[in-house]
Amino acid sequence: MALVTLQRSPTPSATSSASTSEEFGNDEERKANLSLSDSFFMVKGAALFLQQGNSFQGQRSLLHLHKNAGELPQHLQLMINLLRSEDRIKLAVRLESSWSDRVRYMVVVYSNGRQDTEENILLGVDFTNKESKSCTIGMVLHLWSDTTIRLDGDGGFSVNTAGRTHVFKPVSVQAMW
């Protein structure tokens, strides 16, 4: 078990795209969003979002590592850097992979939508190996109101939404629950 705090750094999409103040708020709100830190509770291949930081931390890294945390903190930081400034990782779980050298995660991401609604998606994030310094998004699955989740007998689960079924198998049953 470990507690990890990661600095949210500005993403290219947040800094390079032309946006109106209506989309992202005023300059102070944008700066506050870009300087937030996120804290996660980590156990056996999973990271659970704990809280939203709200103090300015500058550009220094807030990566606090537990000696047994493995590669998950670094992978989590890379995943955070892929997201827009308004997106938050709610849960990241390492999945079993058919390829022994590939590392895969299922990531639940949320954002506040219009009219203060919470919008959620599942991302499939891939690393070519444990030491990889980059990751790719291999799947984006919108979670609609018709989404159903079913547990399998082998520790996995399936997500059915928009008429499609996706099967996930965490590396540890304990990591999910």
Side-chain angles (χ1 to χ4, degrees):
M1 290 188 277
L3 174 66
V4 176
T5 303
L6 301 170
Q7 178 68 36
R8 294 184 60 86
S9 60
T11 60
S13 64
T15 57
S16 64
S17 64
S19 62
T20 66
S21 61
E22 186 177 293
E23 287 178 324
F24 292 103
N26 60 29
D27 286 336
E28 289 81 26
E29 289 174 12
R30 264 195 307 273
K31 287 177 186 172
N33 278 341
L34 295 177
S35 65
L36 292 177
S37 61
D38 290 338
S39 295
F40 296 88
F41 174 72
M42 295 178 14
V43 61
K44 294 197 180 201
L48 176 64
F49 178 70
L50 288 179
Q51 66 183 9
Q52 233 174 281
N54 58 6
S55 60
F56 180 72
Q57 300 294 337
Q59 293 303 313
R60 68 184 182 89
S61 174
L62 289 178
L63 182 62
H64 301 292
L65 296 179
H66 188 272
K67 62 182 174 182
N68 297 323
E71 70 276 348
L72 183 57
Q74 291 85 3
H75 288 178
L76 201 54
Q77 183 68 61
L78 291 168
M79 289 185 259
I80 286 172
N81 292 343
L82 280 178
L83 302 177
R84 301 175 306 175
S85 63
E86 62 269 20
D87 296 333
R88 295 286 182 261
I89 293 176
K90 189 181 283 189
L91 175 70
V93 177
R94 187 167 171 179
L95 301 173
E96 288 186 0
S97 177
S98 301
W99 299 280
S100 60
D101 59 336
R102 182 156 308 195
V103 178
R104 298 190 139 179
Y105 290 92
M106 179 203 68
V107 182
V108 179
V109 176
Y110 76 96
S111 180
N112 287 328
R114 299 195 187 270
Q115 300 175 346
D116 291 328
T117 58
E118 187 176 295
E119 298 174 353
N120 293 278
I121 61 170
L122 286 181
L123 295 179
V125 179
D126 296 319
F127 292 84
T128 54
N129 59 51
K130 289 180 181 181
E131 293 82 28
S132 182
K133 301 293 184 212
S134 65
C135 59
T136 58
I137 296 175
M139 179 195 73
V140 177
L141 181 61
H142 296 274
L143 298 179
W144 304 110
S145 60
D146 72 338
T147 301
T148 58
I149 300 171
R150 289 190 174 78
L151 300 176
D152 297 338
D154 63 351
F157 63 97
S158 60
V159 177
N160 189 321
T161 187
R164 297 184 67 189
T165 300
H166 301 272
V167 179
F168 301 95
K169 176 92 188 270
V171 293
S172 165
V173 175
Q174 182 183 7
M176 276 300 292
W177 315 117

